[in-house]
Amino acid sequence: MAAADLPEGTLQNVLEQDSLKWVFVGGKGGVGKTTCSSILSILLSRVRSSVLIISTDPAHNLSDAFQQKFTKTPTLVNGFTNLYAMEVDPTVEHEDMGTDGMDNLFSELANAIPGIDEAMSFAEMLKLVQTMDYSVIVFDTAPTGHTLRLLQFPSTLEKGLAKVMSLKNKFGGLMSQRMQFWESSRGMKDVIEQVNRQFKDPDLTTFVCVCIPEFLSLYETERLVQELTKFEIDTHNIIINQVLYDEEGSESKLLKARMRMQQKYLDQFYMLYDDFNITKLPLLPEEVTGVEALKAFSCHFLTPYQPSTSESTVEALEQRVSTLRQQLKDTEAQLEKLRKGKQKV
């Protein structure tokens, strides 16, 4: 069945699921994850007592989306009383370590375990978040590869601790003097494992995939959905962003060609994910930045976008005839100019 024949989906189901505690928004780089997660957090703030949106992407765009500077501590978003935002640095800073040779050795040991810096940073952030009483937390995640690593952090921490504990057993007293960092990570591991159990509960957690109607994005979305299924994380919403619609008066051959290409991939999305809520968002001529622009665009998350294709009324036809006449007049003028140029030569 073609995409055009299927009912349009919305994200109303996310707002209506009162039990949700964690909402992840992710996908390929450059598809509009930050805009979608920002708008979703605005919509959730209308139905929840308090909302926190966290950016875990190393290239933070949350500050740009809201046009307000955010840091690693939750900050109230301008114009809201219950929406907070924070940007998390993916690299851990070992503030409890000094600068002497032995401290540097342990810092190097910590960073030698693949992914341990991100795992520790993520654990620290979750530890902080758990002490706060937010109704729902929205994650604006990094591109797909980083997000999949994020889901593997509990096992990364476990392996890292096992390696360092084996070193402690070998070197005894020498190691025990510098184990504060790793002892504190034990508590982090407990926190992240507890949160990981919540991530696997569909009543508490869902993952919203964001993509665009192109081959690479379709491929990346399929990979992401497969991995989420493997990690037992619920996902039943897909946002297809930057969709071109056949607007009234559009005569561009390039646009028509792009629309045909997009339609091919839209049909594939609907065929592959027939049991998902698929929300289509239009490509706009301008960027969606700032609270007012985000609020204005949020209506398309709850009501399917309707392109401005008016009925064949007398006024519409007269307007189109007038446009075509003007185009014909301009073309004839150009032709006459060319003819005169040739006569001079």
Side-chain angles (χ1 to χ4, degrees), residues 324-341:
L324 290 171
R325 278 178 178 160
Q326 186 60 47
Q327 289 175 352
L328 179 61
K329 189 177 177 181
D330 293 342
T331 306
E332 285 176 338
Q334 287 179 6
L335 181 61
E336 187 63 28
K337 196 175 178 181
L338 285 170
R339 281 174 176 164
K340 286 180 179 178

Side-chain angles (χ1 to χ4, degrees), residues 54-111:
I54 301 174
S55 171
T56 61
D57 189 341
H60 296 302
N61 293 314
L62 213 53
S63 294
D64 298 324
F66 284 103
Q67 294 182 339
Q68 177 183 346
K69 181 63 181 172
F70 299 119
T71 62
K72 60 183 179 180
T73 56
T75 305
L76 187 65
V77 178
N78 292 336
F80 294 88
T81 57
N82 63 339
L83 176 58
Y84 298 81
M86 63 187 284
E87 294 178 332
V88 180
D89 190 343
T91 57
V92 66
E93 295 177 4
H94 307 300
E95 293 173 355
D96 55 338
M97 292 190 177
T99 55
D100 62 34
M102 185 58 69
D103 289 325
N104 286 334
L105 168 64
F106 284 94
S107 181
E108 290 297 322
L109 274 174
N111 291 322

